[in-house]
Amino acid sequence: MTVAEWCIFTTVLLYLLTIAPIKWIGSRHYDNSRPRDPAFYQDPIRSRALGAHQNGIETFPFFAIAVLLAEFRVAPQNLINELALLFLIVRIAYILTYLGDRPSLRSILWNLGFAINTAIFFLPLIRRYLPI
């Protein structure tokens, strides 16, 4: 498996690990028979963790498809790997800014992550112009 493919798997773990600790820490108030109970997420940190988790689910398909398409279309693997790692780092920073209630920085990081995904997606198109 390539580094980029491991990044796909890590991205799944990342969005799961965004919400799991919040549920565990708040286990006295969390009812697993009602996992989407809005009352549990009224706490600000829980609400932000849920938002970060949901955003991870929303961004995952584009990232996974971009990586797999770039690999399928034989874009330079080292570039795919580097961009995938960069995306993962940006996602970690995004989650931390989401949890830390830094909306402006969070938006910048979201846009940076989207730009990285777009770059991965278009690597096959521009590969002949790359000096690799």
Short mmCIF file of all heavy atoms in Angstrom, two decimals, residues 59-107:
data_model
loop_
_atom_site.label_atom_id
_atom_site.label_comp_id
_atom_site.label_asym_id
_atom_site.label_seq_id
_atom_site.Cartn_x
_atom_site.Cartn_y
_atom_site.Cartn_z
N THR A 59 -15.80 15.56 4.10
CA THR A 59 -14.62 15.78 3.26
C THR A 59 -13.96 14.48 2.82
O THR A 59 -13.19 14.48 1.86
CB THR A 59 -13.57 16.63 4.00
OG1 THR A 59 -13.19 15.98 5.20
CG2 THR A 59 -14.09 18.02 4.30
N PHE A 60 -14.25 13.39 3.51
CA PHE A 60 -13.59 12.12 3.21
C PHE A 60 -13.79 11.64 1.77
O PHE A 60 -12.81 11.24 1.12
CB PHE A 60 -14.02 11.03 4.20
CG PHE A 60 -13.45 9.69 3.84
CD1 PHE A 60 -12.12 9.42 4.06
CD2 PHE A 60 -14.25 8.72 3.25
CE1 PHE A 60 -11.58 8.19 3.72
CE2 PHE A 60 -13.72 7.50 2.90
CZ PHE A 60 -12.39 7.22 3.13
N PRO A 61 -15.02 11.63 1.23
CA PRO A 61 -15.18 11.07 -0.12
C PRO A 61 -14.32 11.75 -1.19
O PRO A 61 -13.71 11.07 -2.02
CB PRO A 61 -16.68 11.25 -0.42
CG PRO A 61 -17.32 11.32 0.92
CD PRO A 61 -16.31 12.00 1.81
N PHE A 62 -14.27 13.08 -1.16
CA PHE A 62 -13.47 13.79 -2.18
C PHE A 62 -11.99 13.44 -2.03
O PHE A 62 -11.30 13.20 -3.02
CB PHE A 62 -13.70 15.30 -2.08
CG PHE A 62 -12.96 16.10 -3.13
CD1 PHE A 62 -12.81 15.64 -4.42
CD2 PHE A 62 -12.45 17.35 -2.83
CE1 PHE A 62 -12.14 16.38 -5.39
CE2 PHE A 62 -11.79 18.10 -3.78
CZ PHE A 62 -11.63 17.61 -5.05
N PHE A 63 -11.51 13.38 -0.79
CA PHE A 63 -10.11 13.04 -0.57
C PHE A 63 -9.80 11.63 -1.08
O PHE A 63 -8.85 11.43 -1.83
CB PHE A 63 -9.77 13.16 0.92
CG PHE A 63 -8.39 12.68 1.26
CD1 PHE A 63 -7.26 13.30 0.75
CD2 PHE A 63 -8.21 11.59 2.10
CE1 PHE A 63 -5.99 12.85 1.06
CE2 PHE A 63 -6.94 11.14 2.43
CZ PHE A 63 -5.83 11.77 1.90
N ALA A 64 -10.62 10.66 -0.70
CA ALA A 64 -10.38 9.27 -1.10
C ALA A 64 -10.45 9.13 -2.62
O ALA A 64 -9.59 8.47 -3.23
CB ALA A 64 -11.39 8.36 -0.42
N ILE A 65 -11.44 9.74 -3.23
CA ILE A 65 -11.58 9.64 -4.69
C ILE A 65 -10.42 10.32 -5.39
O ILE A 65 -9.89 9.81 -6.38
CB ILE A 65 -12.94 10.20 -5.14
CG1 ILE A 65 -14.05 9.24 -4.72
CG2 ILE A 65 -12.98 10.45 -6.64
CD1 ILE A 65 -15.44 9.78 -4.86
N ALA A 66 -10.01 11.49 -4.89
CA ALA A 66 -8.90 12.21 -5.51
C ALA A 66 -7.62 11.37 -5.47
O ALA A 66 -6.92 11.24 -6.48
CB ALA A 66 -8.69 13.55 -4.81
N VAL A 67 -7.33 10.78 -4.32
CA VAL A 67 -6.12 9.95 -4.19
C VAL A 67 -6.20 8.74 -5.12
O VAL A 67 -5.26 8.47 -5.88
CB VAL A 67 -5.91 9.49 -2.73
CG1 VAL A 67 -4.86 8.39 -2.64
CG2 VAL A 67 -5.50 10.67 -1.86
N LEU A 68 -7.30 8.03 -5.08
CA LEU A 68 -7.41 6.82 -5.90
C LEU A 68 -7.42 7.13 -7.39
O LEU A 68 -6.82 6.40 -8.18
CB LEU A 68 -8.65 6.02 -5.49
CG LEU A 68 -8.59 5.48 -4.06
CD1 LEU A 68 -9.92 4.80 -3.70
CD2 LEU A 68 -7.43 4.53 -3.87
N LEU A 69 -8.07 8.22 -7.78
CA LEU A 69 -8.06 8.61 -9.18
C LEU A 69 -6.65 8.98 -9.64
O LEU A 69 -6.21 8.56 -10.71
CB LEU A 69 -9.01 9.80 -9.41
CG LEU A 69 -9.01 10.37 -10.83
CD1 LEU A 69 -9.63 9.37 -11.80
CD2 LEU A 69 -9.76 11.67 -10.89
N ALA A 70 -5.95 9.74 -8.81
CA ALA A 70 -4.58 10.14 -9.16
C ALA A 70 -3.69 8.90 -9.31
O ALA A 70 -2.87 8.82 -10.23
CB ALA A 70 -4.02 11.10 -8.12
N GLU A 71 -3.87 7.93 -8.40
CA GLU A 71 -3.07 6.71 -8.51
C GLU A 71 -3.48 5.88 -9.73
O GLU A 71 -2.63 5.36 -10.44
CB GLU A 71 -3.21 5.88 -7.24
CG GLU A 71 -2.49 6.48 -6.05
CD GLU A 71 -2.53 5.62 -4.81
OE1 GLU A 71 -3.36 4.68 -4.73
OE2 GLU A 71 -1.72 5.88 -3.91
N PHE A 72 -4.76 5.78 -9.97
CA PHE A 72 -5.26 5.01 -11.11
C PHE A 72 -4.78 5.61 -12.43
O PHE A 72 -4.47 4.88 -13.37
CB PHE A 72 -6.79 4.98 -11.06
CG PHE A 72 -7.42 4.23 -12.19
CD1 PHE A 72 -7.33 2.84 -12.26
CD2 PHE A 72 -8.11 4.90 -13.19
CE1 PHE A 72 -7.91 2.15 -13.30
CE2 PHE A 72 -8.69 4.22 -14.23
CZ PHE A 72 -8.59 2.82 -14.29
N ARG A 73 -4.71 6.93 -12.47
CA ARG A 73 -4.28 7.62 -13.69
C ARG A 73 -2.78 7.87 -13.74
O ARG A 73 -2.30 8.65 -14.56
CB ARG A 73 -5.03 8.95 -13.83
CG ARG A 73 -6.50 8.79 -14.09
CD ARG A 73 -6.70 8.13 -15.41
NE ARG A 73 -8.09 8.17 -15.81
CZ ARG A 73 -8.51 7.79 -16.97
NH1 ARG A 73 -7.66 7.36 -17.87
NH2 ARG A 73 -9.78 7.83 -17.26
N VAL A 74 -2.04 7.22 -12.86
CA VAL A 74 -0.59 7.21 -12.84
C VAL A 74 0.03 8.61 -12.73
O VAL A 74 0.94 8.96 -13.48
CB VAL A 74 -0.01 6.43 -14.07
CG1 VAL A 74 1.45 6.10 -13.86
CG2 VAL A 74 -0.79 5.17 -14.36
N ALA A 75 -0.47 9.38 -11.81
CA ALA A 75 0.19 10.64 -11.48
C ALA A 75 1.43 10.29 -10.67
O ALA A 75 1.56 9.18 -10.15
CB ALA A 75 -0.76 11.53 -10.68
N PRO A 76 2.37 11.22 -10.53
CA PRO A 76 3.60 10.93 -9.77
C PRO A 76 3.27 10.54 -8.32
O PRO A 76 2.72 11.34 -7.56
CB PRO A 76 4.38 12.24 -9.82
CG PRO A 76 3.82 12.99 -10.98
CD PRO A 76 2.39 12.56 -11.11
N GLN A 77 3.61 9.31 -7.95
CA GLN A 77 3.23 8.78 -6.65
C GLN A 77 3.82 9.57 -5.49
O GLN A 77 3.17 9.77 -4.48
CB GLN A 77 3.62 7.29 -6.54
CG GLN A 77 3.09 6.61 -5.30
CD GLN A 77 1.56 6.57 -5.27
OE1 GLN A 77 0.92 6.13 -6.22
NE2 GLN A 77 0.97 7.04 -4.18
N ASN A 78 5.06 10.04 -5.66
CA ASN A 78 5.67 10.79 -4.56
C ASN A 78 4.90 12.08 -4.30
O ASN A 78 4.73 12.50 -3.15
CB ASN A 78 7.15 11.08 -4.82
CG ASN A 78 7.37 11.93 -6.06
OD1 ASN A 78 6.58 11.90 -7.00
ND2 ASN A 78 8.45 12.68 -6.06
N LEU A 79 4.37 12.69 -5.33
CA LEU A 79 3.57 13.92 -5.17
C LEU A 79 2.22 13.61 -4.54
O LEU A 79 1.75 14.36 -3.68
CB LEU A 79 3.39 14.58 -6.54
CG LEU A 79 3.30 16.08 -6.59
CD1 LEU A 79 4.40 16.74 -5.80
CD2 LEU A 79 3.33 16.56 -8.02
N ILE A 80 1.61 12.52 -4.95
CA ILE A 80 0.34 12.10 -4.34
C ILE A 80 0.56 11.86 -2.84
O ILE A 80 -0.22 12.33 -2.01
CB ILE A 80 -0.20 10.82 -5.00
CG1 ILE A 80 -0.50 11.02 -6.49
CG2 ILE A 80 -1.47 10.34 -4.29
CD1 ILE A 80 -0.77 9.73 -7.24
N ASN A 81 1.63 11.13 -2.52
CA ASN A 81 1.92 10.84 -1.11
C ASN A 81 2.14 12.11 -0.30
O ASN A 81 1.61 12.26 0.80
CB ASN A 81 3.16 9.95 -1.00
CG ASN A 81 2.93 8.56 -1.51
OD1 ASN A 81 1.80 8.10 -1.64
ND2 ASN A 81 4.01 7.87 -1.82
N GLU A 82 2.93 13.03 -0.85
CA GLU A 82 3.23 14.27 -0.13
C GLU A 82 1.97 15.11 0.09
O GLU A 82 1.75 15.65 1.18
CB GLU A 82 4.29 15.06 -0.87
CG GLU A 82 5.66 14.41 -0.84
CD GLU A 82 6.65 15.02 -1.82
OE1 GLU A 82 6.27 15.99 -2.53
OE2 GLU A 82 7.79 14.53 -1.88
N LEU A 83 1.15 15.22 -0.94
CA LEU A 83 -0.08 16.00 -0.80
C LEU A 83 -1.06 15.33 0.15
O LEU A 83 -1.76 16.00 0.91
CB LEU A 83 -0.71 16.23 -2.17
CG LEU A 83 0.02 17.22 -3.07
CD1 LEU A 83 -0.56 17.20 -4.48
CD2 LEU A 83 -0.01 18.62 -2.49
N ALA A 84 -1.12 14.00 0.12
CA ALA A 84 -2.02 13.28 1.03
C ALA A 84 -1.57 13.48 2.48
O ALA A 84 -2.41 13.70 3.37
CB ALA A 84 -2.06 11.80 0.68
N LEU A 85 -0.27 13.42 2.73
CA LEU A 85 0.23 13.68 4.08
C LEU A 85 -0.05 15.12 4.51
O LEU A 85 -0.43 15.37 5.65
CB LEU A 85 1.74 13.41 4.14
CG LEU A 85 2.14 11.96 4.31
CD1 LEU A 85 3.65 11.80 4.13
CD2 LEU A 85 1.72 11.44 5.66
N LEU A 86 0.12 16.04 3.58
CA LEU A 86 -0.16 17.44 3.88
C LEU A 86 -1.64 17.62 4.21
O LEU A 86 -2.00 18.33 5.16
CB LEU A 86 0.24 18.33 2.71
CG LEU A 86 0.09 19.83 2.90
CD1 LEU A 86 0.92 20.30 4.08
CD2 LEU A 86 0.50 20.56 1.62
N PHE A 87 -2.51 16.95 3.46
CA PHE A 87 -3.94 17.02 3.75
C PHE A 87 -4.23 16.49 5.15
O PHE A 87 -5.01 17.10 5.90
CB PHE A 87 -4.75 16.23 2.72
CG PHE A 87 -6.22 16.17 3.04
CD1 PHE A 87 -7.04 17.25 2.80
CD2 PHE A 87 -6.77 15.03 3.61
CE1 PHE A 87 -8.39 17.21 3.11
CE2 PHE A 87 -8.12 14.98 3.93
CZ PHE A 87 -8.93 16.07 3.68
N LEU A 88 -3.60 15.39 5.51
CA LEU A 88 -3.81 14.80 6.84
C LEU A 88 -3.36 15.77 7.94
O LEU A 88 -4.06 15.95 8.94
CB LEU A 88 -3.06 13.48 6.93
CG LEU A 88 -3.34 12.58 8.11
CD1 LEU A 88 -4.82 12.24 8.21
CD2 LEU A 88 -2.52 11.32 7.99
N ILE A 89 -2.24 16.42 7.75
CA ILE A 89 -1.75 17.40 8.73
C ILE A 89 -2.72 18.57 8.84
O ILE A 89 -3.05 19.03 9.93
CB ILE A 89 -0.33 17.88 8.34
CG1 ILE A 89 0.67 16.74 8.52
CG2 ILE A 89 0.08 19.11 9.15
CD1 ILE A 89 2.01 16.99 7.86
N VAL A 90 -3.21 19.04 7.70
CA VAL A 90 -4.17 20.14 7.70
C VAL A 90 -5.47 19.72 8.40
O VAL A 90 -6.05 20.50 9.15
CB VAL A 90 -4.44 20.64 6.26
CG1 VAL A 90 -5.63 21.56 6.19
CG2 VAL A 90 -3.20 21.34 5.72
N ARG A 91 -5.90 18.48 8.19
CA ARG A 91 -7.12 17.99 8.86
C ARG A 91 -6.95 17.94 10.38
O ARG A 91 -7.86 18.28 11.12
CB ARG A 91 -7.52 16.61 8.35
CG ARG A 91 -8.16 16.56 7.01
CD ARG A 91 -9.41 17.38 6.89
NE ARG A 91 -10.45 17.01 7.84
CZ ARG A 91 -11.59 17.67 8.00
NH1 ARG A 91 -11.85 18.74 7.29
NH2 ARG A 91 -12.48 17.27 8.88
N ILE A 92 -5.78 17.52 10.82
CA ILE A 92 -5.53 17.49 12.26
C ILE A 92 -5.57 18.91 12.82
O ILE A 92 -6.21 19.16 13.85
CB ILE A 92 -4.18 16.80 12.57
CG1 ILE A 92 -4.28 15.31 12.25
CG2 ILE A 92 -3.77 17.02 14.02
CD1 ILE A 92 -2.96 14.58 12.23
N ALA A 93 -4.93 19.84 12.13
CA ALA A 93 -4.96 21.24 12.57
C ALA A 93 -6.39 21.78 12.52
O ALA A 93 -6.81 22.54 13.41
CB ALA A 93 -4.04 22.08 11.69
N TYR A 94 -7.14 21.40 11.50
CA TYR A 94 -8.53 21.83 11.38
C TYR A 94 -9.35 21.38 12.58
O TYR A 94 -10.10 22.16 13.17
CB TYR A 94 -9.13 21.26 10.08
CG TYR A 94 -10.59 21.52 9.91
CD1 TYR A 94 -11.05 22.70 9.33
CD2 TYR A 94 -11.54 20.59 10.34
CE1 TYR A 94 -12.40 22.95 9.18
CE2 TYR A 94 -12.89 20.83 10.19
CZ TYR A 94 -13.32 22.01 9.61
OH TYR A 94 -14.66 22.26 9.47
N ILE A 95 -9.19 20.11 12.96
CA ILE A 95 -9.93 19.58 14.10
C ILE A 95 -9.55 20.33 15.38
O ILE A 95 -10.41 20.69 16.17
CB ILE A 95 -9.69 18.07 14.24
CG1 ILE A 95 -10.37 17.33 13.09
CG2 ILE A 95 -10.19 17.54 15.59
CD1 ILE A 95 -9.95 15.89 12.95
N LEU A 96 -8.26 20.58 15.56
CA LEU A 96 -7.82 21.29 16.76
C LEU A 96 -8.38 22.71 16.80
O LEU A 96 -8.77 23.20 17.87
CB LEU A 96 -6.30 21.30 16.83
CG LEU A 96 -5.65 19.93 17.05
CD1 LEU A 96 -4.13 20.04 16.96
CD2 LEU A 96 -6.08 19.33 18.37
N THR A 97 -8.44 23.38 15.64
CA THR A 97 -9.00 24.73 15.63
C THR A 97 -10.51 24.70 15.81
O THR A 97 -11.09 25.61 16.38
CB THR A 97 -8.65 25.50 14.34
OG1 THR A 97 -9.11 24.77 13.21
CG2 THR A 97 -7.15 25.74 14.24
N TYR A 98 -11.14 23.64 15.33
CA TYR A 98 -12.59 23.49 15.53
C TYR A 98 -12.88 23.31 17.02
O TYR A 98 -13.73 24.00 17.59
CB TYR A 98 -13.12 22.29 14.74
CG TYR A 98 -14.54 22.42 14.25
CD1 TYR A 98 -14.86 22.16 12.93
CD2 TYR A 98 -15.57 22.79 15.11
CE1 TYR A 98 -16.17 22.26 12.47
CE2 TYR A 98 -16.88 22.89 14.65
CZ TYR A 98 -17.16 22.63 13.33
OH TYR A 98 -18.46 22.74 12.88
N LEU A 99 -12.16 22.40 17.65
CA LEU A 99 -12.36 22.15 19.07
C LEU A 99 -11.96 23.36 19.91
O LEU A 99 -12.56 23.64 20.94
CB LEU A 99 -11.56 20.92 19.53
CG LEU A 99 -12.00 19.59 18.94
CD1 LEU A 99 -11.04 18.48 19.36
CD2 LEU A 99 -13.42 19.25 19.32
N GLY A 100 -10.96 24.09 19.46
CA GLY A 100 -10.48 25.28 20.17
C GLY A 100 -11.27 26.53 19.89
O GLY A 100 -10.91 27.61 20.37
N ASP A 101 -12.32 26.42 19.09
CA ASP A 101 -13.20 27.55 18.78
C ASP A 101 -12.46 28.71 18.13
O ASP A 101 -12.52 29.85 18.58
CB ASP A 101 -13.95 28.01 20.04
CG ASP A 101 -15.18 28.84 19.70
OD1 ASP A 101 -15.66 28.76 18.54
OD2 ASP A 101 -15.65 29.58 20.58
N ARG A 102 -11.74 28.39 17.06
CA ARG A 102 -11.02 29.39 16.27
C ARG A 102 -11.60 29.39 14.84
O ARG A 102 -11.01 28.84 13.92
CB ARG A 102 -9.53 29.06 16.23
CG ARG A 102 -8.84 28.93 17.57
CD ARG A 102 -8.60 30.26 18.26
NE ARG A 102 -7.94 31.23 17.43
CZ ARG A 102 -6.63 31.44 17.39
NH1 ARG A 102 -5.83 30.71 18.14
NH2 ARG A 102 -6.13 32.37 16.60
N PRO A 103 -12.79 30.00 14.66
CA PRO A 103 -13.51 29.85 13.38
C PRO A 103 -12.78 30.42 12.16
O PRO A 103 -12.85 29.83 11.08
CB PRO A 103 -14.84 30.56 13.61
CG PRO A 103 -14.67 31.38 14.83
CD PRO A 103 -13.55 30.78 15.63
N SER A 104 -12.08 31.54 12.30
CA SER A 104 -11.40 32.11 11.13
C SER A 104 -10.26 31.22 10.66
O SER A 104 -10.14 30.93 9.47
CB SER A 104 -10.87 33.51 11.45
OG SER A 104 -11.93 34.37 11.74
N LEU A 105 -9.44 30.77 11.60
CA LEU A 105 -8.34 29.87 11.25
C LEU A 105 -8.88 28.55 10.72
O LEU A 105 -8.34 27.98 9.78
CB LEU A 105 -7.44 29.64 12.46
CG LEU A 105 -6.21 28.76 12.25
CD1 LEU A 105 -5.35 29.28 11.10
CD2 LEU A 105 -5.41 28.67 13.54
N ARG A 106 -9.97 28.08 11.32
CA ARG A 106 -10.60 26.84 10.86
C ARG A 106 -11.03 26.96 9.40
O ARG A 106 -10.80 26.05 8.60
CB ARG A 106 -11.80 26.53 11.76
CG ARG A 106 -12.46 25.22 11.43
CD ARG A 106 -13.72 25.00 12.25
NE ARG A 106 -14.81 25.74 11.64
CZ ARG A 106 -15.77 26.36 12.30
NH1 ARG A 106 -15.79 26.37 13.62
NH2 ARG A 106 -16.74 26.97 11.66
N SER A 107 -11.62 28.09 9.04
CA SER A 107 -12.06 28.28 7.65
C SER A 107 -10.87 28.32 6.70
O SER A 107 -10.94 27.78 5.59
CB SER A 107 -12.86 29.58 7.54
OG SER A 107 -14.06 29.46 8.25
#
